[in-house]
Amino acid sequence: RKEVEQDPGPFNVPEGATVAFNCTYSNSASQSFFWYRQDCRKEPKLLMSVYSSGNEDGRFTAQLNRASQYISLLIRDSKLSDSATYLCVVKINNAGNMLTFGGGTRLMVKP
Amino acid sequence: DAGITQSPRHKVTETGTPVTLRCHQTENHRYMYWYRQDPGHGLRLIHYSYGVKDTDKGEVSDGYSVSRSKTEDFLLTLESATSSQTSVYFCAISEFSGAVNYGYTFGSGTRLTVV
């Protein structure tokens, strides 16, 4: 079983739609959680950190459920520019400050 | 954005030749990482460094070596390139303070083709 699992998609949604991605992680000792965005042929970029209390950044909302070991990302009012791959990322307690990446969920927003 | 650059951006090399990729940072971050990204596998850690001359293996380290003689530079060497090492290689840096993890900042990547 992969340590961080995501539905690869693609999720095809119209502009203005609300879309949600989930991600599950297997290690209950996981400490920190992030969502990264990766555009085609580009490097991943940090979208937002995920806090226990949940957090919102504009149209983006991230939630963490430690009991069920999943993380979610909600995008409201989707824009064409939101088309990308979204990576769920988890830090497991380790000395190297290493992050473990999910395989990514691809989002395609259509006009 | 943090100052992190990778070189070269693209490289084509022949099987059996050694190849060195360079990652350079201007942020004085302690941690540096090399990942490869392949379709169906996502990002996989090759090696990482937690300080000058301090390195350790990641998930897919076979066939790769690294060196970090200065804080700002982290080199990845493919000792004898094989076609299975054709991939996109990303360098990343991070800082970590107590219980706070600030995530990674990635370089733009190196597209390596081994023919």
Side-chain angles (χ1 to χ4, degrees):
Chain A
R1 182 185 174 189
K2 291 183 180 179
E3 291 189 59
V4 181
E5 295 205 61
Q6 298 181 251
D7 181 342
F11 285 57
N12 295 296
V13 302
E15 269 187 294
T18 295
V19 61
F21 309 136
N22 285 334
C23 160
T24 58
Y25 61 94
S26 60
N27 193 321
S28 60
S30 299
Q31 296 179 317
S32 304
F33 309 88
F34 308 89
W35 282 102
Y36 274 71
R37 171 192 169 129
Q38 186 173 24
D39 293 296
C40 187
R41 300 177 74 84
K42 298 285 190 181
E43 74 273 23
K45 292 187 177 181
L46 180 63
L47 178 66
M48 58 197 307
S49 301
V50 186
Y51 304 119
S52 296
S53 56
N55 48 302
E56 187 174 310
D57 183 2
R59 297 181 293 109
F60 298 84
T61 301
Q63 296 280 354
L64 168 63
N65 185 318
R66 285 189 183 271
S68 301
Q69 296 184 200
Y70 79 79
I71 307 153
S72 64
L73 177 68
L74 182 78
I75 305 175
R76 291 181 298 277
D77 188 23
S78 298
K79 312 291 185 191
L80 295 176
S81 58
D82 293 334
S83 297
T85 296
Y86 291 84
L87 305 174
C88 175
V89 185
V90 172
K91 178 184 181 295
I92 297 163
N93 187 18
N94 61 74
N97 195 34
M98 290 176 286
L99 302 181
T100 300
F101 290 79
T105 297
R106 189 173 174 205
L107 171 66
M108 299 181 69
V109 181
K110 308 287 188 179
Chain B
D1 283 349
I4 173 172
T5 55
Q6 291 184 232
S7 59
R9 292 295 307 277
H10 302 271
K11 185 169 183 67
V12 179
T13 192
E14 292 186 349
T15 299
T17 60
V19 177
T20 295
L21 309 183
R22 182 182 184 234
C23 179
H24 178 77
Q25 61 145 331
T26 58
E27 300 299 312
N28 201 37
H29 283 345
R30 177 182 174 191
Y31 297 93
M32 299 186 76
Y33 310 85
W34 277 106
Y35 281 84
R36 60 178 289 175
Q37 187 173 36
D38 305 287
H41 291 280
L43 282 156
R44 293 181 291 174
L45 181 65
I46 304 171
H47 281 279
Y48 69 98
S49 170
Y50 47 97
V52 173
K53 299 192 188 308
D54 292 323
T55 65
D56 207 347
K57 296 179 180 180
E59 177 187 358
V60 289
S61 59
D62 287 348
Y64 302 94
S65 62
V66 290
S67 66
R68 191 166 178 202
S69 58
K70 300 184 290 185
T71 298
E72 55 267 35
D73 290 323
F74 192 32
L75 304 180
L76 176 70
T77 297
L78 287 65
E79 294 143 6
S80 177
T82 66
S83 58
S84 64
Q85 294 176 311
T86 292
S87 186
V88 180
Y89 291 85
F90 287 106
C91 176
I93 60 175
S94 80
E95 198 48 81
F96 178 58
S97 175
V100 179
N101 188 305
Y102 298 100
Y104 290 174
T105 300
F106 284 88
S108 300
T110 295
R111 295 188 175 275
L112 177 68
T113 303
V114 183
V115 297

